């Protein structure tokens, strides 16, 4: 049996880069890796760092570029969709773009066009912002009722996948934190952002009544790789939706205090405020 072809859609983003780096370092080298990018071509240093990997320029809104993947690799065995317009403020200001990127219309259309009898596994990253946020510790079967465009786009994406595709794992992640990947990303990372604002000699406001379960990026990667191995073990029909969070329920103030204590900053700079403010 040949290697499992894993395509990471949005592989030049934060989670995608961490996933590619991890999968490329496994000792048994079980995967033939490929990824998509759109805005910026990957630097040569990425290929030098992770070894053989195929890169494809794909427009997720139009689907242009997917056929190039088929022509080069054939049908992938596993597709991990990490691509998203994930900044809530950007989604609010450009609703049509958020919907076009976050709902994988073109990706699903491409995947259901395959003629092979074996349906590829789709692992799709969603968000805890599909919930309304009025109670603690949501379960997977709780009702979704998002209050922002980002969350709404992710609910529509989940419903579209479940209605139109038969082999999927949807991961609703909380805030993802961790180190920069092997190629640093421009995206603002939560712990690094807190560290940056607290390093200045200024008072900073943090919410005391918004609680999340931050999850370490390498734990997300391990969950994804576990699902790939489950598929490889013979379970070729997966339909699962999982909440993926870390072990601690914390507010933004609590996150800031942890960073402040570890870095030795003056904790009096942390101003505790309500989200309603």
């Amino acid at each position: 049996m040949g290697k499992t072809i894993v395509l990471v859609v949005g592989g030049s983003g934060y989670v995608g880069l961490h996933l590619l780096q991890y999968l490329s370092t496994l000792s048994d080298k079980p995967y033939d890796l490929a990824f998509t990018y759109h805005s910026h071509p990957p630097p040569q240093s990425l290929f030098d760092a992770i070894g053989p990997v195929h890169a494809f320029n794909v427009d997720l809104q139009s689907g242009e570029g997917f056929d190039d993947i088929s022509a080069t690799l054939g049908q992938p065995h596993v597709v991990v969709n990490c691509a998203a317009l994930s900044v809530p403020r950007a989604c609010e200001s450009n609703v049509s773009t958020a919907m076009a990127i976050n709902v994988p219309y073109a990706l699903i259309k491409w995947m259901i066009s395959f003629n092979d009898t074996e349906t590829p596994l789709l692992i799709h990253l969603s968000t805890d912002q599909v919930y309304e946020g009025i109670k603690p510790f949501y379960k997977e079967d709780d009702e979704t009722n998002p209050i922002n465009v980002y969350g709404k786009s992710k609910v529509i994406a989940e419903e579209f996948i479940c209605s139109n595709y038969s082999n999927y794992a949807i991961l609703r992640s909380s805030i993802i934190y961790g180190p920069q990947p092997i190629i640093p990303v421009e995206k603002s990372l939560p712990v690094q952002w807190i560290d940056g604002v607290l390093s200045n000699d200024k008072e900073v406001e943090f919410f005391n009544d918004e609680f999340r379960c931050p999850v370490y990026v390498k734990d997300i990667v391990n969950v994804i790789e576990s699902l790939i191995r489950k598929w490889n073990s013979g379970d070729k029909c997966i339909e699962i939706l999982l909440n993926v969070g870390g072990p601690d329920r914390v507010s933004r103030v609590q996150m800031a205090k942890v960073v402040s204590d570890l870095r030795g900053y003056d904790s009096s700079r942390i101003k505790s405020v309500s989200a309603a403010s």
Side-chain angles (χ1 to χ4, degrees):
M1 181 177 178
K3 291 186 177 183
T4 300
I5 301 173
V6 177
L7 172 67
V8 182
V9 177
S12 58
Y14 182 64
V15 175
L17 284 168
H18 273 287
L19 179 60
L20 288 169
Q21 181 179 358
Y22 175 74
L23 295 181
S24 70
T25 59
L26 295 175
S27 58
D28 51 350
K29 302 295 182 184
Y31 305 120
D32 189 2
L33 300 175
F35 70 95
T36 75
Y37 66 92
H38 183 231
S39 300
H40 306 291
Q44 182 59 43
S45 55
L46 173 61
F47 300 97
D48 295 340
I50 66 175
V53 61
H54 308 273
F56 298 93
N57 187 356
V58 172
D59 186 328
L60 297 178
Q61 298 183 60
S62 67
E64 184 178 356
F66 279 127
D67 288 342
D68 293 337
I69 300 174
S70 302
T72 304
L73 298 178
Q75 175 180 312
H77 299 108
V78 178
V79 176
V80 184
N81 185 21
C82 301
L85 183 61
S86 60
V87 179
R89 190 172 300 168
C91 293
E92 297 293 332
S93 62
N94 201 331
V95 176
S96 60
T97 300
M99 292 295 176
I101 293 175
N102 293 346
V103 184
Y105 297 117
L107 174 61
I108 295 297
K109 181 180 178 181
W110 175 62
M111 292 183 68
I112 62 178
S113 71
F114 299 146
N115 295 321
D116 200 306
T117 56
E118 188 174 90
T119 304
L121 171 63
L122 171 63
I123 301 174
H124 176 81
L125 266 63
S126 189
T127 174
D128 59 358
Q129 293 186 57
V130 299
Y131 301 114
E132 187 173 4
I134 58 174
K135 76 181 190 75
F137 302 115
Y138 280 90
K139 293 179 170 36
E140 286 86 351
D141 57 1
D142 283 329
E143 181 182 5
T144 58
N145 188 24
I147 61 172
N148 59 26
V149 171
Y150 176 55
K152 290 175 182 176
S153 71
K154 285 298 193 175
V155 167
I156 294 172
E158 291 182 5
E159 292 174 345
F160 182 76
I161 291 168
C162 293
S163 298
N164 294 277
Y165 201 70
S166 61
N167 199 16
Y168 60 83
I170 296 172
L171 308 181
R172 292 173 175 166
S173 77
S174 188
I175 296 174
I176 300 173
Y177 72 94
Q180 281 280 11
I182 197 163
I183 304 297
V185 296
E186 296 178 359
K187 176 182 178 179
S188 178
L189 304 178
V191 172
Q192 288 84 338
W193 180 84
I194 293 172
D195 183 31
V197 296
L198 291 180
S199 67
N200 298 319
D201 191 18
K202 296 179 181 178
E203 187 177 72
V204 186
E205 294 182 346
F206 293 92
F207 296 152
N208 56 27
D209 54 356
E210 178 191 283
F211 295 89
R212 306 284 287 279
C213 295
V215 57
Y216 189 46
V217 64
K218 296 184 180 181
D219 289 336
I220 290 277
V221 166
N222 284 334
V223 170
I224 293 171
E225 210 262 330
S226 294
L227 287 165
I228 297 173
R229 288 195 180 273
K230 177 179 173 67
W231 186 90
N232 270 342
S233 70
D235 191 346
K236 302 299 186 184
C237 186
I238 297 175
E239 293 183 354
I240 190 170
L241 190 154
L242 298 171
N243 289 340
V244 183
D248 300 311
R249 175 181 180 264
V250 294
S251 69
R252 303 285 178 151
V253 166
Q254 290 171 308
M255 291 175 67
K257 287 182 176 178
V258 169
V259 175
S260 178
D261 290 345
L262 286 171
R263 298 285 279 166
Y265 296 138
D266 181 359
S267 61
S268 66
R269 299 173 190 165
I270 300 171
K271 184 180 179 182
S272 177
V273 300
S274 167
S277 67

